[in-house]
Amino acid sequence: MIPVEIGEPSLRRQTLDLDLNKESLMVGLDLINELRDKCKIREEACKIRATRRYNSKVKPQSFQKGDLVLRMCSDAQKDDGKFSSNWEGPFRDVTQQPEEHIT
């Protein structure tokens, strides 16, 4: 039995051109920046689509000075576990803000 190292070289080894291989690697390195830019553009477009979809359920509401509003509780203020209230209030709005968004 003949060991594989001594046997016939494969077609891939016979047709290997080192200069052509080196040149194709350099072309690939030149195009990597263009590929990164395309990926960055695609990533930004995906983020914009996700933001639009997330914000599509937001209903714009404006508050006037003196309106009653609810404030969302932070996790640190919830002492009663999962059955505690998610909202605090009602409070009087003392600042007039042009427009608030409520989900």
Side-chain angles (χ1 to χ4, degrees):
M1 185 160 149
I2 300 174
V4 176
E5 292 88 20
I6 298 173
E8 288 288 321
S10 66
L11 179 64
R12 183 174 177 179
R13 282 192 173 252
Q14 287 178 350
T15 59
L16 177 67
D17 185 10
L18 292 177
D19 295 330
L20 182 63
N21 188 29
K22 197 176 278 188
E23 184 179 326
S24 66
L25 286 175
M26 295 305 286
V27 168
L29 286 176
D30 290 340
L31 294 177
I32 194 87
N33 288 332
E34 184 178 330
L35 184 64
R36 281 185 186 146
D37 291 340
K38 283 182 181 179
C39 288
K40 198 176 284 187
I41 289 170
R42 195 177 318 130
E43 178 186 7
E44 289 297 321
C46 184
K47 284 182 181 179
I48 289 171
R49 282 194 311 268
T51 303
R52 263 195 217 128
R53 186 171 185 159
Y54 180 79
N55 290 335
S56 68
K57 295 181 173 92
V58 174
K59 299 174 187 171
Q61 287 189 348
S62 60
F63 298 106
Q64 303 299 323
K65 190 173 183 178
D67 285 349
L68 293 174
V69 293
L70 295 175
R71 184 174 57 194
M72 188 176 228
C73 290
S74 66
D75 289 335
Q77 294 176 348
K78 293 183 180 179
D79 295 330
D80 298 332
K82 71 179 187 179
F83 295 114
S84 66
S85 176
N86 292 330
W87 300 95
E88 293 177 333
F91 297 103
R92 285 229 181 259
D93 192 8
V94 294
T95 61
Q96 184 172 359
Q97 297 176 354
E99 191 164 304
E100 281 289 320
H101 294 291
I102 296 179
T103 55

